[in-house]
Amino acid sequence: MGSSAAPAIAVSISSAFDAGNIDVTSADASSVRLKVRPDPPTELEKKCHSQWFYFRASAGQPGVVSYEISNAGATSYPEGWKALKVCASADRKVWTRVDTTNYAADAGALRWTYDHGGANPCSVYFAYFDPYDYERHLDLIARCAAAPGSRVRSLGQTLDGRELDCVEVGDGPKHVWVIHRQHPGESQASWFAEGLLRRLLGLDSSAPDGLSVSLRRKFTFH
């Protein structure tokens, strides 16, 4: 009796984790079609924006898999896909860009391939940008609250009941307001805010450096 090849196992897609976002149209062992799931409607515009995606892909066996987000052209900012390289990570700590990323404007589709074999694991996370999860946000707020010269207060809550934290640093006469992450998909802004606060408060050293001390005397940062 001749042996038959083992059936191919479809790639499994999941996004049931903090900041996860994607809808699956179809998936087999070598091809996955997806759609960006819209955000909840905004309170003022009554409009559902969409741009952010973040999901885990678990391949059943090693091999090259083609991915496509078929509604990329219908998202809030299609121009943003032109220079984008999808982010990928096996451990959600170290993120790299997927060089095979290509945006087909005529089809409105974002496409890339990934080799789930060799040095690459069968399970990998893909995202629009390096995610900044809520646990990291809470850790940062806690560090700021414990740092000398910092004040943390709530400006209110989001529609999901999460605090809108305001960190105040410095006691200068001029006030500087730094607003970030007003759009859910802009995780880049959270990384910027963390870097700014770490520098102003000297969170990575025993005390703030000279430039930070000078700025805190001239300005009050919110």
Side-chain angles (χ1 to χ4, degrees):
M1 295 180 62
S3 59
S4 58
I9 302 174
V11 178
S12 179
I13 304 296
S14 60
S15 60
F17 44 81
D18 186 21
N21 188 59
I22 204 70
D23 283 331
V24 182
T25 302
S26 63
D28 56 34
S30 60
S31 178
V32 177
R33 287 177 57 84
L34 308 155
K35 287 187 176 182
V36 175
R37 183 188 306 143
D39 299 327
T42 58
E43 189 173 9
L44 296 178
E45 298 173 294
K46 307 299 181 183
K47 182 179 181 180
C48 296
H49 291 283
S50 63
Q51 196 81 20
W52 175 258
F53 66 87
Y54 178 26
F55 63 92
R56 179 187 178 189
S58 300
Q61 59 273 318
V64 176
V65 177
S66 298
Y67 294 88
E68 177 182 292
I69 295 180
S70 59
N71 68 337
T75 55
S76 298
Y77 185 56
E79 292 293 314
W81 304 118
K82 291 183 178 180
L84 179 81
K85 299 295 182 183
V86 170
C87 292
S89 176
D91 59 8
R92 297 190 300 168
K93 295 179 181 178
V94 178
W95 291 82
T96 58
R97 296 287 186 174
V98 180
D99 289 334
T100 58
T101 306
N102 175 62
Y103 176 57
D106 55 342
L110 184 72
R111 298 167 178 153
W112 70 96
T113 59
Y114 190 84
D115 186 358
H116 291 266
N120 295 324
C122 286
S123 180
V124 65
Y125 292 83
F126 294 112
Y128 177 72
F129 193 82
D130 186 346
Y132 194 100
D133 61 48
Y134 192 55
E135 286 300 310
R136 188 180 183 104
H137 166 81
L138 294 177
D139 288 343
L140 175 63
I141 295 301
R143 292 182 67 191
C144 290
S150 173
R151 303 168 297 280
V152 176
R153 61 189 177 95
S154 175
L155 299 178
Q157 294 185 341
T158 70
L159 296 178
D160 292 330
R162 294 183 174 184
E163 298 293 344
L164 293 170
D165 295 300
C166 177
V167 181
E168 297 177 341
V169 183
D171 52 9
K174 294 184 178 180
H175 293 262
V176 177
W177 285 87
V178 182
I179 303 173
H180 70 100
R181 202 63 185 270
Q182 62 266 46
H183 299 143
E186 296 174 352
S187 60
Q188 305 96 320
S190 288
W191 291 106
F192 158 76
E194 178 179 318
L196 176 63
L197 288 169
R198 285 165 62 175
R199 179 71 181 270
L200 286 173
L201 293 171
L203 297 181
D204 298 322
S205 57
S206 57
D209 59 29
L211 177 60
S212 297
V213 171
S214 176
L215 288 173
R216 288 168 57 170
R217 289 173 180 168
K218 298 176 181 178
F219 304 97
T220 297
F221 292 88
H222 305 270

